[in-house]
Amino acid sequence: MDTTLQAGTKIRTFEDATYRKVSWRLVPFLMVCFLIAYLDRVNVGFAKLQMSQQLGFSETVYGLGAGIFFIGYFLFEVPSNLALHKFGAKVWIGRIMITWGILSACFAFVQTPTQFYTLRFLLGLAEAGFTPGIVYYLSCWYPSHRRAKIMAIYCMGSPLSGIIGNPLSGFLMGSMAGVSGLGGWQWMFVIEAVPAVLLGCFCFYYLDNSIAKANWLTSAEKQVLELAKSEDVKAVDPQARVGKVFTDPRVWLISLICFCYVTGQYGITLWLPTFIRSTGVSDPLHIGMLSAIPYMAAIVSMYFFGRSADKHRERRWHLIIPCMMGAIGFLALPWVMHNTALSLVFLSIAAAGILTCTPLFWSLPTAFLSGAALATAIAMSNSIGNLAGFTSGYMIGYLRDVTQSGNSAYYMIAGMLMLGAFCIWTIPARLVNR
């Protein structure tokens, strides 16, 4: 009995050590990639502070351009993730990063709304498949009971892009204005695009397409990882096929949930600099430094909820609570926008809740699907969900133009988050709590 117990403890210790090794190898690098991806996706929110005035773009033009990114993203999401499943992460993730880096730099030369719309659409096409591709890639390495914490750490790239990128964007826009005849916002696009291209090239050499091809793992380590993966696969739907994903009501439900929380996510990330400026702050560097505060709160929240979800093997309430935090934050904003400090408090509550939803959400599809069906479901839910980036960006800009106030937009976002929380509550606990 004691010998069996000791053997089991020894195996678990070795498994834990192996996963720590995998995590140190993969997660920091992928988190940095996500940081750069998110920065290149949303730095248009900072560029708006100068670009809209210089080019004569209205709030509606900016909102439509910011949102049209997600139309391209929607169209190419599923094909991109199926391509990753076929060609492997090292080639496909590298291709995505190089392409979007080049396109992001091209924004420095935008002069008309049509050019702005076209580049944002192409950027969406280029970046499609990155986030669901990484989610699928990590699901090939980690069993379900380890994913929430790992996804939380990976998704910290999003708030880190705000903490690092927002002050950097503000600094570049202020200090580089007029250099070589270009505006500060133009230099910001060029400089912040370079890391994406460099990291994309590095992907070809650093990432491994599977556990079996990872030369940095020993045979015993590969065996324990494959065993954990095979045990996890037994718990998912063995009959799931790619074609059935599109008629599976579970996948449509989680797609709606994704749409709801992404509405809030891009309400924060695309408009946060504008929200802060509306409280009376005008200097780009000061806006950048203040906008880092909500992202700091998000990092703490993401780690706490992700760790707790894995510890208790509970998914629903760990996702419902962050959704409601986001709703409360946005509902309070119309009443405190006259005060910068209070606005930052409620923007921090909103950001902490909304950005925490992302890593916890991905534990839903990975709980009941695997293989190509999982890759398809992840891409489908993410592509439909990210259409909220289009509707959210456009509607916020339109409502601000029409009402000359952001209040109606805040209520719209809060309503979507509450709908998302209700949809999560309807999911049977037995389906996802493992």
Side-chain angles (χ1 to χ4, degrees):
M1 184 77 163
D2 290 340
T3 304
T4 303
L5 182 61
Q6 290 176 356
T9 301
K10 187 175 180 181
I11 291 172
R12 285 194 297 273
T13 301
F14 180 69
E15 181 179 318
D16 289 341
T18 302
Y19 275 109
R20 281 196 297 272
K21 182 177 180 179
V22 171
S23 296
W24 279 111
R25 168 79 181 193
L26 297 181
V27 179
F29 175 72
L30 294 176
M31 183 176 68
V32 172
C33 290
F34 188 47
L35 186 158
I36 299 302
Y38 219 79
L39 178 61
D40 285 345
R41 183 188 302 184
V42 303
N43 59 6
V44 68
F46 248 93
K48 172 184 179 290
L49 301 178
Q50 292 180 352
M51 180 178 68
S52 291
Q53 183 177 4
Q54 183 175 330
L55 301 181
F57 290 176
S58 68
E59 297 282 291
T60 304
V61 167
Y62 166 74
L64 179 58
I68 207 168
F69 166 95
F70 299 98
I71 301 299
Y73 204 87
F74 170 79
L75 292 174
F76 202 53
E77 189 90 319
V78 172
S80 180
N81 225 33
L82 289 174
L84 182 142
H85 180 71
K86 180 177 181 179
F87 298 113
K90 66 190 307 177
V91 171
W92 203 248
I93 297 299
R95 191 283 305 166
I96 289 173
M97 296 191 71
I98 292 170
T99 309
W100 99 52
I102 293 171
L103 286 169
S104 186
C106 291
F107 278 88
F109 309 104
V110 164
Q111 294 295 318
T112 68
T114 300
Q115 293 172 350
F116 181 50
Y117 299 152
T118 301
L119 273 179
R120 285 292 291 179
F121 177 77
L122 291 176
L123 186 66
L125 283 180
E127 196 180 321
F130 179 78
T131 295
I134 296 298
V135 172
Y136 173 70
Y137 182 62
L138 289 174
S139 74
C140 295
W141 291 81
Y142 293 91
S144 58
H145 67 275
R146 293 181 182 268
R147 285 182 201 141
K149 185 173 74 173
I150 291 301
M151 285 304 302
I153 296 172
Y154 160 72
C155 288
M156 285 179 187
S158 169
L160 279 173
S161 74
I163 293 170
I164 298 170
N166 284 2
L168 175 63
S169 297
F171 171 76
L172 291 174
M173 286 173 59
S175 63
M176 298 296 290
V179 175
S180 298
L182 297 178
W185 63 274
Q186 293 173 296
W187 278 111
M188 181 200 70
F189 277 126
V190 172
I191 293 172
E192 292 182 355
V194 172
V197 177
L198 295 179
L199 285 171
C201 293
F202 193 58
C203 283
F204 296 129
Y205 302 97
Y206 192 78
L207 294 181
D208 299 287
N209 288 335
S210 65
I211 295 170
K213 295 182 179 180
N215 295 327
W216 44 275
L217 291 172
T218 66
S219 297
E221 289 168 339
K222 291 179 182 180
Q223 185 176 7
V224 76
L225 294 176
E226 293 286 7
L227 179 62
K229 180 181 172 182
S230 65
E231 289 295 324
D232 197 56
V233 168
K234 291 178 183 178
V236 304
D237 184 356
Q239 303 301 319
R241 298 291 184 269
V242 171
K244 292 183 178 180
V245 166
F246 298 102
T247 58
D248 190 332
R250 300 171 301 180
V251 177
W252 283 102
L253 179 60
I254 63 173
S255 297
L256 175 58
I257 293 168
C258 187
F259 185 92
C260 290
Y261 84 77
V262 169
T263 297
Q265 179 179 317
Y266 287 108
I268 286 285
T269 55
L270 290 175
W271 291 89
L272 183 58
T274 301
F275 293 160
I276 292 176
R277 186 174 64 176
S278 67
T279 68
V281 183
S282 57
D283 183 85
L285 180 58
H286 293 164
I287 292 174
M289 295 177 70
L290 290 174
S291 63
I293 295 173
Y295 292 110
M296 293 179 184
I299 283 182
V300 176
S301 176
M302 290 168 77
Y303 183 77
F304 170 78
F305 277 94
R307 184 174 182 179
S308 177
D310 277 348
K311 179 181 179 181
H312 298 286
R313 298 201 180 190
E314 198 286 326
R315 309 298 171 186
R316 293 194 312 159
W317 286 103
H318 281 83
L319 190 50
I320 291 171
I321 292 172
C323 267
M324 293 307 298
M325 287 170 59
I328 290 168
F330 272 103
L331 284 173
L333 280 180
W335 307 98
V336 298
M337 287 303 287
H338 62 282
N339 186 299
T340 301
L342 281 175
S343 295
L344 282 171
V345 169
F346 285 100
L347 282 169
S348 295
I349 292 172
I354 292 165
L355 295 180
T356 295
C357 289
T358 301
L360 296 173
F361 169 79
W362 292 120
S363 64
L364 302 183
T366 58
F368 57 85
L369 293 169
S370 65
L374 174 59
T376 305
I378 291 172
M380 175 180 162
S381 58
N382 195 61
S383 61
I384 292 173
N386 274 283
L387 282 178
F390 172 75
T391 58
S392 175
Y394 178 72
M395 286 302 297
I396 292 174
Y398 175 76
L399 290 171
R400 288 178 67 89
D401 269 341
V402 170
T403 65
Q404 297 300 303
S405 168
N407 293 355
S408 55
Y410 304 148
Y411 294 140
M412 180 268 292
I413 292 171
M416 292 300 296
L417 290 167
M418 287 188 283
L419 173 61
F422 173 76
C423 291
I424 297 162
W425 179 76
T426 66
I427 297 176
R430 59 179 172 75
L431 185 66
V432 294
N433 287 349
R434 61 184 184 84

